[in-house]
Amino acid sequence: MTALLTLDKVSVSYGRIQAVREVSVSIDPGQIVTIIGPNGAGKTTLMLAAIGLLPSIGAMRYEGEDLADVDVEARVERGMCLVPERRELFHDMNVEDNLTLGAYSRRAKADIRRDLDDVFDRFPRLRERSRQLAGTLSGGERQMLALGRALMAKPRLLLLDEPSLGLAPLIVREIFKTIASLRNLGISILLVEQNARAALETADVGYVLETGQVTQQGAASELIGDPKLIAAYLGGH
Ligand code: ATP
């Protein structure tokens, strides 16, 4: 099977500071892959490089195609979609308009209406609040709106940057349940998270990123039982 996305020895620098060092990651179609690691490990940097917002060295392939000359717009057109850590919603626009903007690269209005209904079915809370300004939503609702907006772009690969950031435990559980359910839509997911336990419970494969380098990788179900990881990231439960 051809991997959907492969990063092969990817490095990213901010001036003379190398934030990501020779990281290799592979995501197969239909897989949820998580990259866990502490604050400042380089997770966001890697995501920005993968979508083409930061220059990198090393090789990236998407559906077998070399991404070296594929800019961010073209990556999005091919089905890559980033949901950034800060969620980047339009706060002065209502929920429905934020969602419709997610489909800006698509033309057929009837399709957009149907997809909007699908998103509302998935997130009934957003339907209830469709006329409410995004800036007035709770943190969990904003994360749902960010996910819903990404779904409007009909992605094949979602890059999710810390979807649990700043959310209460109950809401985190709901968000991760939603993420797991996206697999049924045939969407592959690269998930970076500080909430290692929730991420590994949801993912098929996990990588540990520490100071810019992969220090461990394997099946998520094995990593979750690894004593070293339990001590460092999984809260000892
Ligand atoms: P967090 O979970 O806190 O977002 P992270 O794992 O996503 O952490 P990054 O944000 O990718 O980590 O940061 C990796 C390293 O790069 C850190 O040492 C950070 O200080 C540095 N860094 C991030 N952004 C910049 C920037 N714009 N200029 C210079 N250094 C940066």
Side-chain angles (χ1 to χ4, degrees):
M1 179 165 44
T2 313
L4 184 60
L5 178 73
T6 51
L7 310 183
D8 187 13
K9 294 195 173 155
V10 167
S11 300
V12 189
S13 299
Y14 296 104
R16 287 163 62 184
I17 300 166
Q18 202 172 37
V20 168
R21 272 183 287 166
E22 301 204 334
V23 167
S24 298
V25 169
S26 175
I27 303 154
D28 284 341
Q31 250 185 350
I32 301 181
V33 173
T34 188
I35 299 177
I36 59 172
N39 224 318
K43 303 183 298 299
T44 296
T45 301
L46 188 66
M47 291 295 238
L48 293 174
I51 195 81
L53 285 169
L54 276 179
S56 59
I57 58 170
M60 294 191 204
R61 300 182 83 78
Y62 180 74
E63 297 184 304
E65 182 191 7
D66 189 341
L67 287 178
D69 295 320
V70 181
D71 65 14
V72 57
E73 284 82 7
R75 290 183 204 200
V76 171
E77 260 165 38
R78 283 165 174 72
M80 296 174 75
C81 184
L82 172 70
V83 181
E85 189 175 74
R86 305 192 68 79
R87 293 157 201 164
E88 317 261 327
L89 300 167
F90 296 95
H91 290 251
D92 296 333
M93 289 171 63
N94 72 29
V95 166
E96 182 165 328
D97 290 343
N98 266 281
L99 288 172
T100 307
L101 270 178
Y104 73 95
S105 61
R106 299 165 47 214
R107 278 168 205 92
K109 285 235 162 50
D111 287 355
I112 291 175
R113 188 66 240 175
R114 196 195 54 220
D115 293 341
L116 194 56
D117 276 336
D118 286 347
V119 169
F120 283 148
D121 288 345
R122 190 167 290 275
F123 302 106
R125 201 57 179 269
L126 295 182
R127 177 176 274 128
E128 281 165 30
R129 298 183 187 238
S130 62
R131 301 282 162 214
Q132 198 170 314
L133 298 184
T136 65
L137 299 177
S138 71
E141 289 163 351
R142 276 185 219 181
Q143 183 59 57
M144 287 173 195
L145 180 53
L147 279 173
R149 190 180 54 176
L151 293 181
M152 292 294 290
K154 292 270 167 204
R156 309 202 41 213
L157 174 65
L158 269 184
L159 305 169
L160 301 181
D161 194 354
E162 299 260 4
S164 78
L165 191 79
L167 302 182
L170 258 180
I171 314 288
V172 170
R173 212 167 306 151
E174 207 177 317
I175 294 288
F176 277 98
K177 240 196 318 196
T178 304
I179 292 170
S181 76
L182 298 181
R183 209 198 311 248
N184 303 332
L185 297 177
I187 299 173
S188 309
I189 294 168
L190 179 61
L191 167 69
V192 312
E193 260 299 334
Q194 278 189 56
N195 188 336
R197 179 170 295 278
L200 289 173
E201 278 169 1
T202 309
D204 303 298
V205 174
Y207 292 79
V208 182
L209 193 67
E210 292 173 320
T211 53
Q213 285 181 300
V214 172
T215 52
Q216 228 176 318
Q217 67 188 76
S221 56
E222 283 170 24
L223 292 179
I224 211 163
D226 183 291
K228 260 195 325 210
L229 284 186
I230 292 173
Y233 302 113
L234 298 170
H237 301 302

